[in-house]
Amino acid sequence: MTLRHGNRMRKTSGDEVVRELQSAEAYEELDSSEPARSEIERHAYQIYLDRNGAPGDPVADWLQAEAELRARRAAAAQHD
């Protein structure tokens, strides 16, 4: 599996992805400014719908959703 992380591409196993998501989840619980898992799930599903259900990579959708939600929160925090 190849994941896009920032500007880098890397190959990783499914187990590594699960561990990374679990550690991100643990971090998320510590920082309430992070998007909730349910928000990420909904946004990742919207990304899937936006491509009309065409085949894609659910992990990439998840990571894209997470990054977009974090960017929105950061932009909103700058305006406060």
Side-chain angles (χ1 to χ4, degrees):
M1 173 181 286
T2 303
L3 292 180
R4 172 162 285 198
H5 185 70
N7 293 329
R8 300 182 318 256
M9 297 289 285
R10 66 184 171 89
K11 292 212 179 266
T12 187
S13 72
D15 291 339
E16 284 181 49
V17 172
V18 169
R19 281 192 297 275
E20 285 181 25
L21 290 175
Q22 286 171 339
S23 67
E25 225 174 88
Y27 176 77
E28 175 182 315
E29 291 173 6
L30 296 174
D31 185 0
S32 63
S33 68
E34 289 292 310
R37 179 184 180 99
S38 59
E39 289 178 280
I40 299 168
E41 287 172 351
R42 283 191 302 270
H43 193 61
Y45 183 64
Q46 187 60 50
I47 292 168
Y48 164 77
L49 293 177
D50 288 347
R51 71 169 178 269
N52 298 318
D57 182 359
V59 174
D61 292 348
W62 179 278
L63 295 174
Q64 178 184 343
E66 191 174 26
E68 288 176 3
L69 290 170
R70 283 182 176 164
R72 286 181 194 169
R73 286 176 183 244
Q78 287 180 350
H79 292 293
D80 289 343

